[in-house]
Each structure stands twice: as C-alpha cells, then as structure tokens.
Amino acid sequence: MKEKESLFSPRNLKSLTGPLSAGNPVIVLVLGICPTLAVTSQMKPAIVMSLSVMAVLSIGNVIISLLRNTIPPRIRIIVQLTVIAALVILVDQVLKAYVFEVSQKLSVFVGLIITNCIIMGRLEAFAMANKPWPSFLDGIGNSLGFGFILIILSFFRELLGAGTVYGYPVFEKIGLYSTGYVDNGLMSKAPMALILVGILIWIHRSFNKDLIESK
Amino acid sequence: MKALRKILDNIKPHVEKGGKFSKFRSTFDAFETFLFVPDHVTAKGCHIRDSNDMKRTMSVVVLAVVPAMLFGMWNVGYQHFLSIGQEAGLWENFFYGFLKILPIIIVSYVAGLGVEFIFAQIRGHEVNEGFLVSGILIPLIVPPDIPLWMVAVATIFAVIIGKEVFGGTGMNILNPALLTRAFLFFSYPTDMSGDKVWIADKADAFSGATPLGDALIGDLDKLPSVSDMFFGFIPGSVGETSTLAILIGAAILLFTGVGSFRIMISVFAGGWLTGLLMNVLAVNSYMEMDAYYHLLLGGFAFGAVFMATDPVTAAQTKRGKIIYGFLIGVVTILIRVFNPGYPEGMMLAILLLNIFSPLIDHYVVQGNIRRRLKRIKVKA
C-alpha cells in the first residue's frame, strides 16, 4: 500500500501557490477575461466576485473530485455544468440575502460565473483526475490567483477612474481635485481594463522570462 | 552649422561602442541625424522608394502642417477676441494664439520624445523619428485650452501603448496622434467637447464643432457660410478649422510624394458620396445638409490629409489605399449622422480603418495572386 501523502505536501502546496504567479489563470492562461473586464471598475464588486468564484470553484472541485470515478466520460461536461450551476445559484441567493447592493451591481455577472472558463477548466483538468483534498487546494489557489488580479485591476481602475479606494474618496481628501486634476473616464470603461491586463502581463513576464514564448 | 558639426564630432568618440558614454549612443545618434543628413541611409531593399532618411520624410510632413498650424494660432486669437467683443489686429490675434498653443506643442514633444528616448535607451536601438510628426499633430487636434497635464498623460499613453509595445515607429497599428486624441476624448469628455470647452458663448469648440454640434441637432441655419468654413474662421480644434491651409499642406505632401493622393482623394470621395446618399434618404434635417458641407466641417479635411495618409498605419497596396480611404470617408459620415454620442466621426473612422488596413492589404494581395495564377493556367 502506498504511503499516505501529508495534507500539505510540496505537491499539494504547489497546486495552491502555483496559480498565484507562474500558472495564473488570468495573466498567464488568459482565462476568465469576461468578469475581469466587467466587474473591476470598483473594488467592492471585484472582491465579492473573487469570493464568489472561490466558493464555487473550491466546492465544485471537491464535488466533482468525489464523483470523478462515477461520472461517465461522455456526459462529464454536462455533469460539471450542473454542479457549477447549482453552486452559482446558491452563491447568488447568499449575495442577494446579505450584500444586496453589490449583487445588484454585479447583476448578470454572478449568473455568468457558470460560464467562467477558469471554473470549467479546473474541474475538467484537475478535479476529474485528482483526489478531493488536492482539488480543494487547487480550487482555492486558482481563485486566489484570479482574485489577486481582480483586486489589483480594480484598485487602479477605481483610484484613477473615480478617485476612491474601496469607496473611500482618497483624492478628494488629499485635495488633488483643487489642483485641477480630473478623473480619467476611460479607466472605468471596459477597454481600459483590457489594456491594464495587457500591462500586467507585460510586467509579469518581464519578471518571469521563462514565460516568454520563443519566436 | 560648422561649429555644430565640430561639437558633434568631438562628442562622437565618447559615445561609440566602448566609449565612456556608450549608453547614450542612441540619444546622440538621434540628435546627429536630426541635425545632419546621415551617411547611413538605406541603399536598397524591396520596400525602398527613394534613399531618403526617414527623418527627412518626416520633416516634409512637419513643413506641410505649418500653414494649418499658423492659421490655427491666428484663429485661436481671432475667436478669443471675437467672443469678448473686441477688435484685434493680425499680430495681436496671432500672438494670443501662439501663447496658447506653444505650451501644448512643448508638452507634447517633451512627453512623447521622453518616452521614445527612454525606450530607445533600454532597448538599445535608435531613437525613432516618427514622433517628430505625431508631436506636431497632437497640439493641432485638441481644443486650445486643454489642460497641459492631460496632453502629457495622453501622449505618454499613446506612445507606450500605441507604439512602443508593438515595437516602435513603423510597427504601430494605430496612429499615435489620433490615439492621443481618442484617449483624451474618452477619458476627459468634458474637457474635449461640450459646453465647457473654450469660448463660453460658442456652444461647442470640439473639432470645429460649433458647426458640427449645430448640424447634429439639426440647426442648419446656424451653420457658418461656406467661405467661413473653407477659410476657417470658425471655432474648433487648433489646426483643423481652415480647409484652405490644410489644402496647402496637402499640396506640399503630394508634390514631394510623401502623402498618398489615392488615400486623400478616396477619403474625400467616400465622404462626399455618402453625404449624397444621405441627401437621397433625407429623413432628418442633418441628412438634408449639402454633401460638400461634410468635407468642410470639423476635422474631415485635416484627418484626410494628415491622419489617414500616415504611411505606417494606412493600407500599403495601391488598390488597398483606395478602399481604405473610401471606407474612412463613408464611416466618418455614418458616425456623424447616425451616432448622436460622437459628433465627430473622423477620429473613430480612421482608427477603425487603421485596424482593418492589414486585412484590406491581405485580400488585395490574395486577389492579385489568384488573378495571376488564373492567367498562367489559361496559357498552359
């Protein structure tokens, strides 16, 4: 019998920390761009979105991982979708109950978590072939990597686009507006989010040269 | 000039490879080739049309912009004194405008060239000359009272995102000057158009847009006379009000062969024909406006002559140039007439077609290949 792997073995830890940088779902795999563009104009929705994705992805990973030996390969995608959809509906109800305003702001994008390719990708690529505990860690890791990017983006977009950080009017407090500064309207539009993602990828790759594709 | 040459020759050994200041070689090279005709021009190659250095081509464009710029300076003063109800002489008008425009020119050059020099130093290539033109075009397509820091931010954005990330001059897919304007337009809409801009008693100074703004809401009676629009005694962004001055620039570009006559003519043709089509449909008063008004209004002429002809972002093939120009004209009028959100369509039309120009070229080339293959098959 194989020796039991400890809960935080290097391999497990790697599935937790890998997605933060070298395997980041947004800036390396370029998945989940839709919510990245749509909900990052302010920090609050971005954080709620990250937490929602974390709940759906980690629990979904565990459920699929538990079921992985019983799911017929032919219908695995539809089973995964059912699990995700059920979880998303749960998350949606929780958001509506406790943070109604934010859930209004996120509008359709909560429902669209179902189509977030990060979730489908991790369920298909990881949970279908791994035990529940590593799958759980993988879910947490990937949603952290996703949320990390979302929070960076939303920080800059909210600061430069509206002059606030998590709703707190920073620029107004330090008196920047009286010097003639005007908020940048482009920052709160989706195209600028795409450009910012590009800049993040640029910065990230200049620190991780091995990610740069050879020509 | 000789003294200058001597100074440069004195510095040269220090910045050559192995010299003390070899880090600054690209900076030195930029100044040397800017001041003197370099001895290392391209000698041959399939894409070479003449053996001019790029910088001299760019200098011609800068020269061609000068009439529009000088007139723009005068017009800024003229409009200013008109709005406060004062008479002012030629020089008074010009000097007022000159003082307004000069800071914008300086800021745009310092910001843009600063970025170019930094990138050239980091990447170790020559400083690209493309910004010489962009830097003079940017002040001409913004409202005269735009805050200078906005110009700086937008210029830096356009040079980095529009040009340097693609590999510098010659590799950009979008016209940097227009990208600057687009950035300003979407970032700071209240400072680019609307009631707040420039002269308070003129409704809208955006893009020569008192007339454009009037046309948009169907107020055709308020339009200035054709001669006013042609000579440019109308409020607007600095360089674009006078169609006459722009046409002088166009003549310089065409005479020296720097600008493409195919693009210029097809832009005007596209705009005019679409205008005629609008006249036929004519469901609102804007559509009934005479087609040639469109060509005189706003930034149409300026865009057609100086922006659409940018050799880097325009289509490269002869037939492609005609399609490219024609579509710019068409899209401009469509945006102007059908989109109330954007009174001026020239900027968006050119940027859109900039993106499409490689596609146009691709199909022109493919079509040519197919035609020639057919000819071979018939003979065989």
Side-chain angles (χ1 to χ4, degrees):
Chain A
M1 202 177 138
K2 246 178 22 184
E3 203 178 320
K4 214 177 165 222
E5 207 176 353
S6 74
L7 285 183
F8 290 101
S9 66
R11 203 173 65 97
N12 284 351
L13 271 185
K14 210 178 165 220
S15 61
L16 185 66
T17 57
L20 287 180
S21 170
N24 191 290
V26 182
I27 59 173
V28 177
L29 307 177
V30 197
L31 294 174
I33 288 298
C34 168
T36 308
L37 302 194
V39 302
T40 54
S41 60
Q42 284 168 321
M43 279 189 91
K44 210 170 184 183
I47 290 172
V48 171
M49 180 55 130
S50 316
L51 292 176
S52 311
V53 167
M54 185 181 286
V56 172
L57 183 53
S58 50
I59 300 172
N61 257 358
V62 171
I63 294 176
I64 291 296
S65 172
L66 287 169
L67 293 174
R68 69 185 189 281
N69 294 324
T70 57
I71 301 174
R74 244 192 228 173
I75 58 161
R76 64 185 196 285
I77 301 279
I78 205 81
V79 173
Q80 290 163 9
L81 259 183
T82 318
V83 170
I84 299 170
L87 289 169
V88 168
I89 290 169
L90 282 178
V91 165
D92 193 25
Q93 294 300 318
V94 171
L95 289 186
K96 275 189 183 142
Y98 292 101
V99 279
F100 186 71
E101 267 174 45
V102 179
S103 109
Q104 288 295 303
K105 227 174 235 164
L106 287 171
S107 63
V108 296
F109 292 102
V110 178
L112 283 178
I113 294 178
I114 298 174
T115 57
N116 189 324
C117 9
I118 298 174
I119 297 177
M120 271 306 254
R122 291 331 288 176
L123 258 57
E124 173 76 11
F126 198 88
M128 285 298 284
N130 285 285
K131 288 183 176 168
W133 174 247
S135 303
F136 177 73
L137 289 181
D138 180 77
I140 297 282
N142 272 286
S143 43
L144 277 180
F146 173 72
F148 180 52
I149 300 302
L150 247 61
I151 288 166
I152 294 180
L153 280 182
S154 60
F155 172 76
F156 283 110
R157 286 185 68 192
E158 191 182 333
L159 183 68
L160 299 175
T164 57
V165 173
Y166 203 77
Y168 183 78
V170 181
F171 283 178
E172 201 182 303
K173 292 283 184 220
I174 60 171
L176 200 59
Y177 292 117
S178 53
T179 61
Y181 176 82
V182 182
D183 286 327
N184 188 323
L186 192 61
M187 276 288 168
S188 32
K189 293 195 173 75
M192 198 60 194
L194 194 64
I195 293 170
L196 286 178
V197 171
I199 294 175
L200 276 185
I201 293 177
W202 184 9
I203 295 171
H204 184 241
R205 292 198 170 195
S206 59
F207 286 111
N208 298 271
K209 302 270 187 212
D210 51 323
L211 285 174
I212 301 170
E213 297 93 345
S214 54
K215 274 173 196 167
Chain B
M1 266 333 224
K2 258 212 175 125
L4 213 55
R5 182 74 252 177
K6 228 175 196 173
I7 296 173
L8 285 173
D9 283 340
N10 276 338
I11 304 174
K12 205 165 190 176
H14 297 294
V15 293
E16 294 282 279
K17 249 188 199 137
K20 222 193 262 170
F21 301 104
S22 60
K23 260 192 243 156
F24 298 105
R25 200 157 65 100
S26 58
T27 311
F28 173 79
D29 192 66
F31 281 110
E32 191 193 13
T33 49
F34 180 67
L35 292 168
F36 296 97
V37 177
D39 47 6
H40 49 264
V41 294
T42 321
K44 59 181 178 182
C46 56
H47 59 292
I48 296 298
R49 294 184 186 89
D50 59 32
S51 54
N52 246 344
D53 185 61
M54 267 280 276
K55 279 196 183 79
R56 248 129 296 273
T57 311
M58 297 296 179
S59 311
V60 172
V61 183
V62 173
L63 191 70
V65 176
V66 165
M69 185 176 66
L70 292 182
F71 182 85
M73 286 176 174
W74 176 84
N75 191 41
V76 168
Y78 172 75
Q79 295 294 337
H80 170 77
F81 287 113
L82 194 70
S83 69
I84 58 172
Q86 261 181 27
E87 282 291 312
L90 173 72
W91 286 107
E92 218 172 321
N93 281 336
F94 179 79
F95 198 64
Y96 180 86
F98 180 74
L99 287 184
K100 274 245 173 204
I101 312 302
L102 191 66
I104 305 181
I105 298 179
I106 293 172
V107 166
S108 116
Y109 267 118
V110 168
L113 286 178
V115 174
E116 291 255 7
F117 273 87
I118 291 170
F119 269 84
Q121 291 293 355
I122 293 174
R123 295 186 172 165
H125 61 61
E126 280 180 46
V127 173
N128 299 136
E129 42 279 274
F131 197 77
L132 289 181
V133 171
S134 309
I136 197 83
L137 287 178
I138 289 168
L140 298 187
I141 52 175
V142 295
D145 70 337
I146 182 145
L148 294 177
W149 66 270
M150 285 184 187
V151 178
V153 170
T155 309
I156 291 170
F157 173 85
V159 175
I160 294 180
I161 300 298
K163 211 155 94 171
E164 290 302 336
V165 295
F166 292 105
T169 300
M171 315 288 264
N172 47 318
I173 53 172
L174 295 170
N175 185 324
L178 271 183
L179 195 60
T180 308
R181 193 182 194 291
F183 181 85
L184 289 170
F185 181 74
F186 287 108
S187 296
Y188 312 109
T190 48
D191 288 273
M192 284 300 280
S193 62
D195 303 340
K196 241 182 77 182
V197 175
W198 203 22
I199 318 153
D201 61 333
K202 304 270 172 188
D204 192 347
F206 151 63
S207 271
T210 297
L212 258 189
D214 287 339
L216 193 65
I217 53 173
D219 236 347
L220 292 189
D221 302 336
K222 270 200 202 158
L223 284 183
S225 69
V226 176
S227 69
D228 269 6
M229 288 198 287
F230 182 73
F231 291 113
F233 306 128
I234 50 177
S237 290
V238 180
E240 62 180 21
T241 54
S242 169
T243 311
L244 178 69
I246 293 165
L247 286 182
I248 296 173
I252 298 175
L253 287 182
L254 292 181
F255 180 72
T256 53
V258 169
S260 159
F261 71 94
R262 285 187 182 84
I263 294 177
M264 286 186 206
I265 292 172
S266 55
V267 173
F268 281 110
W272 189 62
L273 290 176
T274 316
L276 285 183
L277 185 70
M278 293 298 144
N279 289 348
V280 175
L281 297 172
V283 289
N284 61 32
S285 60
Y286 196 0
M287 285 187 179
E288 285 165 15
M289 189 172 74
D290 282 331
Y292 64 87
Y293 267 52
H294 275 299
L295 311 186
L296 300 174
L297 276 176
F300 195 96
F302 192 85
V305 171
F306 295 115
M307 296 295 183
T309 54
D310 173 10
V312 177
T313 54
Q316 303 294 322
T317 51
K318 281 180 184 171
R319 194 171 307 161
K321 278 177 182 168
I322 295 172
I323 299 170
Y324 163 87
F326 191 80
L327 285 177
I328 287 179
V330 172
V331 174
T332 304
I333 306 300
L334 289 182
I335 294 176
R336 275 186 183 178
V337 175
F338 290 113
N339 192 336
Y342 306 124
E344 174 58 296
M346 201 61 194
M347 166 184 89
L348 298 169
I350 296 177
L351 286 176
L352 184 71
L353 265 295
N354 276 173
I355 293 172
F356 274 100
S357 63
L359 187 74
I360 295 171
D361 277 340
H362 173 79
Y363 281 106
V364 169
V365 170
Q366 289 301 315
N368 204 16
I369 291 173
R370 216 174 304 132
R371 208 169 36 253
R372 294 184 68 161
L373 278 179
K374 220 188 244 166
R375 218 182 294 158
I376 293 173
K377 271 175 200 152
V378 171
K379 270 187 186 166

